Amino acid sequence: MNNKQKYIEFCKKEKSIPIFSKPFWLDAVCGEGGWDVILVEKGGEVFASMPYIKPTVRHSLTYSTMPKLTQKLGPYIKYPNGQKYEAKLAYEKKIVKEIIELLPEVDYFSQNFNLTVTNWLPWYWAKFSQTTRYSYRIPYTVNFSNVVKNFSRNNRQLFNKKDSNINIVHNLTTEEFYNTCKKTFDRQNLPIPYSLDLVKRIFKACNENNAGLAFFAIGENGDIHSVSYEIWDDNTVYSLFGGADTKLRSQGGKNYIMFNAIKFAMDTGKDFDFEGSMIEPIENFYRQFGAIQTPYFQITKLSRKARILYGLKNLARDIIKG
């Protein structure tokens, strides 16, 4: 068996591997030939894994970064039972060292690591850099009524509103979903950063693996106010991406979707992850659902050539600005 075949079998056994690192997800967002995986093995048994995008070339530099619409990747380590804390750290150091030695040589490497990775020291020692990013999460152990109590005042008022004309449905088309997402970017005069084809591949892969559901907020006249796509693995429901009709945003369609998606997660015994954002208005929206701010790591490394080119680019930008 090659590494991918071994990894498929490993994922079947290790139920805690997040959806973003599962083979069906990587096939959908990268193409079957667009990703590979590092395995750490001993005696034919896999103890750790780390999928990555195969390097691509742009502007004479080689890159391996995050796939589109993919929140996190990073290493997954299978720990021996009953490990003491000191032994666990030593084990992590050994495993990560092996993973780093097997990474492809690129000018620019960047990955967002899963929340379970809390020790990035082995990466620091290997000359990688780290940026702390934030998501917002609601643990499944919180009773939904207590979740509602932690909503902002505006969200509690919307949730308790008796005369809302917005309904949540799941049976409209992928094209309708995508066109609603596009309206969000049209409002900002920006091109939508993902294609309809990519969205169709994600929907198809998640449908086939019982791992995703589209939410549409519909008004009484049938207008689509807002959309959001929720995906899940064995532990977590993630709010992947979505959009809204600019003219109807003020009516709270996205809020009603979130109310339903959070309850869906609680009912299925999973945490809910808003996927976070470093953009202030988006962070403000997520925070108002009473979720817990949760840090995760973005790990990067630039070659000497990349550092020089990026330095020159930033210098030119500063000169132009005056």
Side-chain angles (χ1 to χ4, degrees):
M1 287 194 294
N2 60 32
N3 268 15
K4 279 193 177 181
Q5 292 168 330
K6 292 178 184 177
Y7 184 56
I8 290 170
E9 296 305 312
F10 184 59
C11 287
K12 290 178 182 177
K13 297 175 184 176
E14 295 298 312
K15 301 299 184 182
S16 295
I17 292 177
I19 185 172
F20 300 110
S21 291
K22 291 183 183 292
F24 79 82
W25 179 269
L26 293 164
D27 284 345
V29 296
C30 302
E32 291 185 18
W35 66 279
D36 210 334
V37 61
I38 293 166
L39 300 178
V40 177
E41 304 176 78
K42 186 176 181 181
E45 184 178 357
V46 177
F47 287 91
S49 61
M50 183 167 166
Y52 62 90
I53 290 185
K54 286 185 177 179
T56 56
V57 180
R58 190 166 72 249
H59 305 307
S60 78
L61 297 176
T62 52
Y63 294 79
S64 179
T65 57
M66 295 293 295
K68 289 188 176 183
L69 297 178
T70 299
Q71 186 192 35
K72 302 179 185 78
L73 287 175
Y76 176 87
I77 300 175
K78 179 182 176 182
Y79 294 94
N81 292 327
Q83 257 189 337
K84 293 182 179 179
Y85 184 67
E86 180 278 329
K88 179 183 177 182
L89 293 179
Y91 184 73
E92 284 179 349
K93 178 181 176 181
K94 179 179 180 295
I95 293 288
V96 171
K97 187 172 184 288
E98 291 188 49
I99 288 174
I100 290 171
E101 289 173 351
L102 294 170
L103 280 172
E105 294 260 348
V106 293
D107 293 304
Y108 182 79
F109 175 85
S110 178
Q111 277 198 11
N112 299 336
F113 283 1
N114 190 47
L115 298 169
T116 55
V117 180
T118 58
N119 173 22
W120 81 279
L121 268 176
W123 299 88
Y124 172 79
W125 291 324
K127 309 300 182 186
F128 286 78
S129 299
Q130 184 267 122
T131 299
T132 301
R133 304 179 71 86
Y134 292 94
S135 186
Y136 278 88
R137 292 172 64 89
I138 300 174
Y140 79 91
T141 51
V142 179
N143 184 279
F144 184 69
S145 62
N146 288 330
V147 173
V148 175
K149 289 178 184 177
N150 288 326
F151 285 170
S152 68
R153 181 181 177 182
N154 178 61
N155 272 341
R156 287 198 307 275
Q157 289 176 340
L158 279 174
F159 182 80
N160 293 317
K161 191 175 181 181
K162 302 302 182 184
D163 59 347
S164 171
N165 295 317
I166 294 177
N167 292 311
I168 306 301
V169 301
H170 308 286
N171 58 351
L172 300 185
T173 68
T174 308
E175 287 79 6
E176 288 171 305
F177 186 99
Y178 183 80
N179 288 335
T180 306
C181 292
K182 188 174 181 297
K183 290 178 181 179
T184 295
F185 295 95
D186 289 343
R187 174 173 57 86
Q188 304 170 75
N189 294 315
L190 295 172
I192 188 167
Y194 44 84
S195 66
L196 175 59
D197 180 62
L198 173 59
V199 174
K200 285 182 175 180
R201 294 201 308 269
I202 289 174
F203 280 26
K204 182 175 185 292
C206 288
N207 287 340
E208 290 174 350
N209 289 274
N210 186 29
L213 185 64
F215 286 68
F216 296 80
I218 307 298
E220 60 183 344
N221 60 356
D223 289 338
I224 301 174
H225 287 225
S226 184
V227 298
S228 183
Y229 195 65
E230 316 303 307
I231 62 173
W232 58 84
D233 50 36
D234 280 30
N235 301 309
T236 305
V237 174
Y238 305 87
S239 186
L240 184 64
F241 70 118
D245 188 318
T246 306
K247 299 175 183 177
L248 303 171
R249 281 193 311 150
S250 62
Q251 298 187 39
K254 182 65 179 290
N255 303 65
Y256 285 110
I257 286 176
M258 291 297 102
F259 300 154
N260 281 264
I262 292 167
K263 190 172 189 308
F264 172 80
M266 304 293 102
D267 289 345
T268 54
K270 303 179 194 295
D271 295 345
F272 187 81
D273 192 328
F274 286 90
E275 283 211 343
S277 177
M278 304 300 277
I279 300 170
E280 189 172 357
I282 300 176
E283 183 274 345
N284 179 59
F285 177 77
Y286 293 153
R287 179 163 36 84
Q288 293 187 46
F289 290 88
I292 298 169
Q293 188 185 75
T294 309
Y296 63 94
F297 298 140
Q298 180 186 46
I299 303 295
T300 59
K301 190 174 187 179
L302 279 72
S303 69
R304 183 174 180 273
K305 177 182 176 182
R307 288 196 302 272
I308 292 171
L309 289 177
Y310 278 113
L312 291 172
K313 181 180 178 182
N314 291 335
L315 176 62
R317 186 185 299 121
D318 289 342
I319 290 171
I320 291 169
K321 288 182 178 178

